[in-house]
């Protein structure tokens, strides 16, 4: 019997007992839902982590020279953590030295930050990330100015008390008022607001607009970094290849400047978007290793359920099998009928699982800050798994059906 | 006389029932020729159904020979038997044995599915067979939407659709009232008139009266085998 015929027959049987069919394929449905949803979320996270997290937090084609990592997404041992703090800090002199000696085209910005309270006419914005940096910072981090302007190189050189504020601060302190030209008090010192940054929205539900940027030379600098010391030197090259070259050069420059022996490890850190992703890569790696196991378990359970349902179907439909045999069905016709039926059943389960999995992924995307992106390969895998689980589960019941004796089967009630 | 379609020689069939052996057939020898119309009669338990199942290749004999169209079927493999059931035999059961979930048309198409006839031809041949038994207007009905007589016509159409060399019917009117039985008998007579070889089990004499020849079984043996007076020979 042609395959198409068998599939049509199977669909007719499945349609005629919808509820029972649904329950029988629930295991496969769950397994596949799980597969699709988890892969979609991991995939979505990957894209999100790369595009948003890494590139927004660290910047495209950007890396920074730091004393220690600041974005730590994995687990770090206590000792290692402590050793980071014993390292020498990055100084203005380090920054200048590196700036002068990197040969590929690059933009640099010295950078320091800390949490501070900003106030205006009795209103306060607490826990604001106050950044002290250079004018090049806006270019490196792609900070768009919604109104007003960024500070200039001259303002940095002369240490002007000017500040560019994040959207959230504009909202909090200057509701209904144009903040441009207004004053803001930072750590007891008056500043002039010269620009408001474009709204950046949230990252994992955390606002990206709670910051203020001032020249690193401005009066409040002593509140964010000790004299002559930097949190980091931001470095942006023009393309990924130059980033690699620049990183190599910065590493070599710092090692020679600090007179590290070849067997000594770096006592500074180069933060890259990739390094920021390390922890996530570990987590997604674990998920991706555990996933096949979890999916396999539910598929095995699903397969056993289908096998039992098919065994039941064979005994319930013994008479039908007898009729078919009486009309000339060969063993292999009956065998393929039940295997195809089982595979079709399972495939329907897989199809429903794909739909619910995608649905679930998008639900997660809608109600949590986590993103989702359906991976086409996971759908292909789901379909293949669905069909094979059904076929394997169907073989034994189908063999029993095929072996039935026509007259005995016809006599069955 | 026409060529023999069925030749059975000393056919036996016994059942082992936990130590006790039941002899359903104790050695039946019989020939049935093309275009014959034979009624098998006999008391309950005499072995009529057992013999019909053997003739229909649904069951295998314990001993003896069964030649169908010059081929010894008692030696055939499973698949070959399936092919014989599909091509050579049309079987009509007392209980109709239709697929409950399928339409009349699909039921009739089934034997063609198993002989690998393409879908389009299948449909037209099934329609033709249903038309032959006067059911062209009920093709899309399911068995439970049909009367007993109509169900049996569907079963006859199904038995005929592959143009078998022999039509076997085990008490085809057993579940039908007398009026409907007469209708079914008219269908059989018509088919016989068109050249179909028919073997039918019945224990009603007025049903058997439609046949040309009556074979009576008793206790697993042929008791009598005679031509029907009055029936058109
Ligand atoms: N599967 C079986 N197992 C055991 N004994 C059987 C089986 N089938 C039939 N028999 C026995 O074989 C004998 C013949 O049965 P069969 O069904 O051929 O009778 P029949 O002539 O068709 O009777 P009826 O007119 O009641 O249908 C009976 O004694 C019956 O009990
Ligand atoms: Mg009987």
């Amino acid at each position: 019997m042609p395959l198409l015929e068998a599939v049509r027959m199977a669909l007719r049987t499945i349609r005629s007992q919808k509820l029972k069919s649904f329950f029988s394929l629930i295991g496969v449905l769950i397994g596949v839902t799980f597969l699709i949803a988890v892969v979609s979320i991991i995939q979505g996270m990957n894209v999100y982590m790369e595009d948003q997290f890494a590139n927004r937090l660290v910047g495209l084609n950007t890396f920074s020279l730091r004393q220690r990592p600041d974005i730590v997404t994995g687990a770090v041992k206590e000792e290692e953590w402590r050793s980071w703090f014993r390292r020498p800090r990055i100084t203005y002199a380090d920054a200048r030295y590196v700036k002068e000696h990197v040969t590929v085209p690059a933009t640099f910005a010295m950078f320091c930050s800390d949490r501070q309270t900003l106030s205006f006419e009795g209103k306060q914005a607490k826990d604001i990330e106050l950044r002290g940096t250079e004018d090049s910072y806006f270019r490196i981090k792609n900070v768009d100015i919604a109104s007003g302007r960024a500070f200039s190189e001259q303002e940095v050189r002369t240490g002007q008390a000017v500040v560019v504020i994040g959207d959230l601060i504009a909202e909090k302190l200057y509701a209904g008022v144009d903040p441009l030209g207004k004053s803001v008090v930072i750590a007891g010192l008056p500043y002039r607001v010269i620009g408001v940054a474009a709204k950046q929205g949230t990252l994992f539900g955390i606002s990206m607009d709670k910051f203020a940027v001032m020249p690193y030379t401005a009066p409040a600098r002593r509140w964010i970094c000790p004299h002559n010391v930097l949190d980091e030197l931001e470095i942006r090259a023009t393309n990924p290849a130059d980033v690699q070259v620049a990183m190599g050069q910065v590493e070599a420059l710092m090692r020679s400047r600090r007179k590290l022996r070849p067997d000594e490890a770096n006592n500074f850190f180069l933060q890259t978007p990739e390094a920021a992703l390390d922890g996530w890569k570990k987590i997604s790696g674990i998920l991706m290793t555990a996933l096949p196991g979890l999916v396999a378990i539910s598929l095995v359970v699903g397969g056993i359920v289908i096998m039992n349902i098919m065994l039941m179907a064979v005994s319930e439909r013994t008479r039908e099998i007898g009729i078919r045999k009486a009309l000339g069905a060969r063993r292999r016709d009956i065998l393929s009928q039940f295997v195809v039926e089982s595979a079709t059943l399972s495939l329907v389960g897989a199809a429903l699982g794909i739909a619910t999995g995608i649905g679930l992924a998008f639900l997660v995307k809608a109600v949590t800050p986590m993103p989702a992106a359906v991976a086409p390969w996971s759908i292909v895998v789901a379909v293949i798994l669905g069909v094979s689980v059904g076929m394997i589960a169907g073989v034994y019941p189908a063999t029993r059906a095929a072996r039935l004796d026509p007259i005995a089967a016809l006599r069955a009630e | 006389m026409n060529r023999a379609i069925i030749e059975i020689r000393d056919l036996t069939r016994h059942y082992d029932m936990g130590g006790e052996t039941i002899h359903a057939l104790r050695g039946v020898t019989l020939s049935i020729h093309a275009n014959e119309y034979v009624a098998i009669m006999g008391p309950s338990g005499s072995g009529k159904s057992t013999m019909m199942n053997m003739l229909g290749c649904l069951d295998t004999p314990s001993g003896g020979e069964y030649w169908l169209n010059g081929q010894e079927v008692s030696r055939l493999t499973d698949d070959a038997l399936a092919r014989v059931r599909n091509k050579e035999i049309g079987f009509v059961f007392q209980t109709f044995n239709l697929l409950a979930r399928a339409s009349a048309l699909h039921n009739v198409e089934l034997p063609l599915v198993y002989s690998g006839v393409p879908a389009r031809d299948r449909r037209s041949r099934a329609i033709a067979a249903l038309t032959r038994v006067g059911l062209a207007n009920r093709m899309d009905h399911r068995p439970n939407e049909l009367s007993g007589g109509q169900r049996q016509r569907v079963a006859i159409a199904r038995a005929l659709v592959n143009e078998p060399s022999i039509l076997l019917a085990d008490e085809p009117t057993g579940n039908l009232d007398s009026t409907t039985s007469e209708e079914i008998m008219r269908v059989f007579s018509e088919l016989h008139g068109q050249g179909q070889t028919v073997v039918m089990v019945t224990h009603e004499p007025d049903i058997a009266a439609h046949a040309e020849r009556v074979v009576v079984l008793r206790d697993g043996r042929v008791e009598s085998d005679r031509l029907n007076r009055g029936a058109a020979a």
Side-chain angles (χ1 to χ4, degrees):
Chain A
M1 194 176 7
L3 182 66
L4 200 69
E5 195 72 43
V7 172
R8 214 179 297 149
M9 202 151 86
L11 285 175
R12 197 179 304 137
T13 311
I14 292 167
R15 229 180 297 130
S16 68
Q17 8 190 302
K18 289 190 192 71
L19 195 67
K20 193 164 109 189
S21 304
F22 176 74
F23 280 111
S24 60
L25 47 77
I26 209 157
V28 172
L29 193 156
I30 290 172
V32 168
T33 299
F34 200 71
L35 171 76
I36 299 286
V38 171
V39 170
S40 297
I41 290 168
I42 292 179
Q43 185 88 350
M45 282 286 283
N46 278 339
V47 173
Y48 192 65
M49 290 301 265
E50 269 155 39
D51 284 8
Q52 302 286 311
F53 185 69
N55 289 336
R56 248 162 97 181
L57 240 52
V58 184
L60 192 67
N61 292 333
T62 300
F63 66 98
S64 54
L65 168 64
R66 299 179 50 86
Q67 180 201 32
R68 57 179 191 270
D70 71 333
I71 305 163
V72 182
T73 37
V76 180
K77 280 200 208 83
E78 172 95 35
E79 301 157 54
E80 194 182 356
W81 184 273
R82 262 199 243 115
S83 78
W84 286 350
F85 285 83
R86 285 195 299 270
R87 291 172 171 183
R89 310 251 348 215
I90 308 294
T91 63
Y92 289 9
D94 288 334
R96 279 192 212 102
Y97 181 77
V98 166
K99 254 190 219 183
E100 274 162 29
H101 290 88
V102 167
T103 59
V104 292
T107 313
F108 302 83
M110 299 203 261
F111 181 92
C112 256
S113 76
D114 200 2
R115 305 269 152 196
Q116 280 296 334
T117 300
L118 274 65
S119 55
F120 173 69
E121 291 181 348
K123 276 177 273 184
Q124 283 197 329
K126 283 187 182 149
D127 209 23
I128 303 305
E129 193 189 345
L130 179 62
R131 300 170 187 166
T133 184
E134 296 175 81
D135 52 300
S136 51
Y137 174 82
F138 296 93
R139 266 171 288 142
I140 292 178
K141 293 284 189 175
N142 293 326
V143 180
D144 290 328
I145 305 295
S147 65
R149 60 178 180 86
F151 48 77
S152 65
E153 195 246 316
Q154 195 195 351
E155 282 166 320
V156 173
R157 211 172 344 104
T158 53
Q160 297 298 308
V162 289
V163 66
V164 173
I165 57 175
D167 185 74
L168 200 79
I169 299 165
E171 244 173 64
K172 254 195 163 163
L173 298 183
Y174 304 94
V177 190
D178 182 6
L180 292 184
K182 298 279 179 322
S183 76
V184 62
V185 176
I186 303 172
L189 299 166
Y191 274 71
R192 186 162 51 93
V193 177
I194 58 164
V196 178
K199 192 179 172 80
Q200 296 201 31
T202 57
L203 191 65
F204 295 117
I206 299 163
S207 173
M208 296 286 284
D209 297 304
K210 281 177 75 176
F211 67 90
V213 192
M214 62 172 198
Y216 78 103
T217 48
R221 71 174 179 224
R222 67 192 133 110
W223 299 111
I224 51 177
C225 266
H227 189 60
N228 264 334
V229 164
L230 288 173
D231 280 342
E232 58 190 51
L233 176 66
E234 311 263 7
I235 303 150
R236 178 169 185 166
T238 44
N239 58 60
D242 278 2
V243 170
Q244 292 307 314
V245 175
M247 279 177 69
Q249 292 180 345
V250 171
E251 186 178 2
L253 288 167
M254 285 304 290
R255 287 185 68 88
S256 77
R257 200 174 150 72
R258 289 184 172 179
K259 301 189 170 59
L260 295 176
R261 289 191 309 270
D263 60 325
E264 276 178 306
N266 288 346
N267 57 2
F268 53 89
F269 180 74
L270 295 179
Q271 176 94 54
T272 59
E274 292 73 39
L277 290 179
D278 261 4
W280 162 246
K281 289 219 167 106
K282 266 179 219 148
I283 297 170
S284 69
I286 293 168
L287 280 175
M288 287 304 254
T289 336
L291 186 66
L294 292 170
V295 170
I297 291 170
S298 39
L299 287 184
V300 166
V301 172
I304 293 172
V305 173
I306 289 183
M307 180 155 103
N308 277 291
I309 292 288
M310 291 311 293
L311 279 173
M312 253 165 71
V314 168
S315 67
E316 269 168 20
R317 281 153 62 193
T318 303
R319 200 179 169 90
E320 173 192 323
I321 296 162
I323 294 170
R324 291 181 183 277
K325 286 206 146 185
L327 298 179
R330 292 158 303 178
R331 280 187 182 200
R332 77 181 93 120
D333 293 320
I334 302 292
L335 186 83
S336 62
Q337 179 190 337
F338 281 91
V339 169
V340 168
E341 191 172 317
S342 177
T344 308
L345 193 68
S346 177
L347 185 60
V348 170
L352 291 177
I354 290 169
T356 27
I358 292 175
L360 202 68
F362 280 94
L363 188 74
V364 166
K365 184 182 176 165
V367 303
T368 73
M370 275 202 286
V374 176
W377 67 261
S378 67
I379 294 178
V380 175
V381 168
V383 168
I384 293 171
L385 283 179
V387 173
S388 17
V389 164
M391 284 180 69
I392 293 166
V395 166
Y396 174 61
T399 314
R400 296 222 342 201
R403 283 215 196 105
L404 285 172
D405 178 51
I407 198 70
L410 274 172
R411 284 216 188 90
E413 274 320 301
Chain B
M1 190 157 247
N2 282 327
R3 105 199 124 84
I5 287 186
I6 285 175
E7 285 257 32
I8 54 178
R9 284 187 210 125
D10 207 23
L11 204 69
T12 61
R13 179 69 166 98
H14 50 252
Y15 297 99
D16 288 318
M17 297 288 287
E20 193 188 356
T21 305
I22 296 170
H23 294 274
L25 290 181
R26 292 170 189 272
V28 175
T29 300
L30 200 66
S31 304
I32 293 166
H33 296 85
N35 200 24
E36 267 195 296
Y37 187 176
V38 184
I40 314 274
M41 296 193 72
S44 188
S46 54
K48 306 183 293 294
S49 293
T50 306
M51 190 174 89
M52 285 300 265
N53 293 340
M54 227 72 79
L55 295 184
C57 295
L58 297 171
D59 198 2
T60 41
S62 311
E65 287 171 24
Y66 173 18
W67 294 77
L68 178 68
N69 281 326
Q71 187 178 30
E72 180 160 19
V73 289
S74 36
R75 291 179 195 279
L76 292 179
T77 62
D78 227 57
D79 276 4
L81 278 175
R83 202 179 159 70
V84 170
R85 288 196 289 269
N86 184 248
K87 299 260 185 205
E88 307 290 339
I89 291 158
F91 209 112
V92 176
F93 303 88
Q94 179 177 352
T95 51
F96 321 132
N97 278 336
L98 298 174
L99 293 189
R101 289 187 311 244
S103 66
L105 186 66
H106 183 73
N107 267 290
V108 176
E109 277 184 28
L110 262 185
L112 302 174
V113 169
Y114 292 118
S115 44
V117 176
R120 207 178 316 115
D121 300 358
R122 228 155 58 199
R123 200 180 145 78
S124 58
R125 280 172 67 176
I127 291 171
L130 280 164
T131 310
R132 239 172 124 185
V133 296
L135 265 187
N137 54 343
R138 293 282 189 278
M139 293 191 303
D140 298 321
H141 290 233
R142 288 180 174 207
N144 61 3
E145 298 160 348
L146 295 171
S147 73
Q150 288 169 334
R151 287 182 212 184
Q152 198 57 298
R153 284 165 192 255
V154 174
I156 295 169
R158 181 180 67 182
L160 291 174
V161 76
N162 234 348
E163 290 155 15
S165 32
I166 189 152
L167 181 64
L168 302 173
D170 191 351
E171 301 197 41
T173 60
N175 281 13
L176 303 175
D177 62 42
S178 52
T179 327
T180 321
S181 299
E182 277 307 318
E183 276 171 39
I184 295 296
M185 280 308 106
R186 263 202 298 283
V187 173
F188 273 71
S189 298
E190 258 172 57
L191 294 173
H192 174 239
Q194 290 158 12
Q196 182 69 53
T197 314
V198 181
V199 180
M200 166 183 75
V201 169
T202 181
H203 39 225
E204 290 168 66
D206 40 337
I207 295 293
H210 290 85
E212 301 169 324
R213 176 180 163 196
V214 177
V215 175
V216 178
L217 296 187
R218 181 177 294 276
D219 200 16
R221 287 195 181 87
V222 177
E223 184 189 61
S224 75
D225 184 350
R226 60 184 165 75
L227 289 182
N228 234 348
R229 279 155 308 193

